[in-house]
Amino acid sequence: AVSTADFIGRVATVFRGTASSGKPAEAKLTDIHGKTHYVLVEPDDAQQVLSEGSEVVLVRREGPVFRAIVRLKPVQ
């Protein structure tokens, strides 16, 4: 079994809606066992917007909503 606390630090993809401060969107992530989970996300920075398709890192949880930051892509 996986706890939602284990989701912190995981990468999720926003797949339904656009998340802004106070307006969560749905995101999906895969746990260490390969199972898909669906969570609500809002940007950790109130000035950011998380658009559909954005890859985000879950940084903390506040009630049913996870706060997230945009995942930076490695420079190649």
Side-chain angles (χ1 to χ4, degrees):
V2 175
S3 166
T4 55
D6 295 328
F7 295 169
I8 303 302
R10 308 261 333 154
V11 175
T13 303
V14 178
F15 79 95
R16 185 176 297 146
T18 299
S20 58
S21 183
K23 296 182 181 180
E26 290 182 80
K28 64 181 178 178
L29 65 98
T30 304
D31 69 21
I32 61 172
H33 302 292
K35 183 174 178 178
T36 301
H37 298 270
Y38 298 89
V39 296
L40 294 174
V41 295
E42 284 185 24
D44 192 46
D45 177 349
Q47 303 303 314
Q48 282 191 323
V49 172
L50 306 175
S51 303
E52 261 183 48
S54 297
E55 285 191 336
V56 299
V57 178
L58 305 181
V59 294
R60 61 191 168 100
R61 183 175 175 195
E62 292 182 355
V65 178
F66 285 88
R67 299 292 177 170
I69 59 173
V70 175
R71 178 181 183 208
L72 299 175
K73 303 278 183 175
V75 177
Q76 297 190 24

